[in-house]
């Protein structure tokens, strides 16, 4: 009698559990997502050098708002000294409505060995999705902004004055899902001002290795029309990173 009662209770509880949590149940999608990636290179022997780059992207995306932040860091050194050190912070807040979105954005760069050691751009404007489906997305943005650039110190100009400029910022953000495990991204940003013009192209190719881990190849190319004497107009950074995505 006792065994029969225990068996009945066990079956009843099991049935109730399956009724509450079906076997194909999945957690609802989260509004928050993040990407963390890093790459490290160390050379020894004939050449002693090391380099590191890292990137963290945080996104909070709801029906009405999208908040996005990206932090990038680049560092390189040889046996004698540091040869590259750069930090990049990007923040954007967008409010969505039926035909697109309005946004406020800030870009802040500290580049120890760049033609401009400090650069800050704040902008606002309007954006919309020109293409948006399961595999392809193209977003376009345009709006005014303000840019602050501090040139690098040179022997001729030991105390350079900062450049301040009102700009028009335009951007195109392209995402293409090639297949289930592979995607390609291309972001093109132009800043046109009275004192200077810049053009930035950010490319990346991502291939999922397993679950939330992926291998990513990235390239960032920035062209600056007016640079201090002795500096190059084009800067290029190429990265090979391991990326982890969670949400």
């Amino acid at each position: 009698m006792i065994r029969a009662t225990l068996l009945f209770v066990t079956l009843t509880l099991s049935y109730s559990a399956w009724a509450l949590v079906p076997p194909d149940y999945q957690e609802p999608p989260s509004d928050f997502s993040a990407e963390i990636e890093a790459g490290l290179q160390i050379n020894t022997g004939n050449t002693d050098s090391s380099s590191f780059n890292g990137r963290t992207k945080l996104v909070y995306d709801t029906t009405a708002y999208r908040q996005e932040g990206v932090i990038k860091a680049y560092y390189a050194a040889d046996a004698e000294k540091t040869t590259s050190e750069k930090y990049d912070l990007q923040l954007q807040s967008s409010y969505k409505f039926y035909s697109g979105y309005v946004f406020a954005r800030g870009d802040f760069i500290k580049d120890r060995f760049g033609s401009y050691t400090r650069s800050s751009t704040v902008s606002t404007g309007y954006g919309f999705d020109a293409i948006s489906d399961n595999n392809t997305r193209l977003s376009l943005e345009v709006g005014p902004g303000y840019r602050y650039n501090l040139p690098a110190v040179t022997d001729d100009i030991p105390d350079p004055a900062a450049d301040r400029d009102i700009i028009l910022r335009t951007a195109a953000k392209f995402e293409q899902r090639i297949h289930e495990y592979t995607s390609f991204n291309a972001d093109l940003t132009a800043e046109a001002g009275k004192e200077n013009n810049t053009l930035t192209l950010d490319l990346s190719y991502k291939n999922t290795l397993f679950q939330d881990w992926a291998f990513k190849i990235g390239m960032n190319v920035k062209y600056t029309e007016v640079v201090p004497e002795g500096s190059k107009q084009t800067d290029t950074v190429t990265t090979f990173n391991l990326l982890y995505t969670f949400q």
Side-chain angles (χ1 to χ4, degrees), residues 76-218:
D78 56 24
E80 299 179 354
K81 61 184 181 303
T82 300
T83 58
S84 176
E85 186 176 355
K86 180 180 179 181
Y87 306 96
D88 191 347
L89 173 63
Q90 301 170 359
L91 301 172
Q92 181 162 328
S93 177
S94 303
Y95 172 71
K96 306 175 186 177
F97 49 92
Y98 70 96
S99 61
Y101 57 92
V102 292
F103 67 88
R105 181 180 177 88
D107 294 85
F108 310 95
I109 299 174
K110 181 180 180 181
D111 190 352
R112 181 178 170 187
F113 297 93
S115 56
Y116 292 95
T117 57
R118 292 181 183 271
S119 180
S120 302
T121 302
V122 292
S123 60
T124 187
Y126 171 77
F128 67 97
D129 291 336
I131 303 174
S132 182
D133 57 38
N134 293 333
N135 297 319
T136 306
R137 182 176 179 181
L138 174 62
S139 300
L140 304 177
E141 297 179 350
V142 62
Y146 172 81
R147 181 175 58 209
Y148 169 93
N149 283 337
L150 181 63
V153 174
T154 63
D155 294 336
D156 296 334
I157 308 178
D159 187 20
D163 299 332
R164 296 173 172 84
D165 206 0
I166 301 297
I167 64 166
L168 176 66
R169 176 184 175 273
T170 57
K173 302 178 181 181
F174 177 74
E175 302 177 16
Q176 177 65 52
R177 185 178 181 182
I178 301 174
H179 58 69
E180 183 179 359
Y181 302 104
T182 306
S183 62
F184 172 78
N185 287 49
D187 294 350
L188 181 64
T189 304
E191 296 179 1
K194 182 179 179 181
E195 303 295 332
N196 208 344
N197 300 309
T198 64
L199 187 66
T200 304
L201 177 62
D202 201 350
L203 304 172
S204 66
Y205 172 85
K206 183 173 66 174
N207 185 59
T208 301
L209 301 175
F210 53 91
Q211 293 183 345
D212 299 323
W213 292 93
F215 175 70
K216 180 181 176 182
I217 301 174

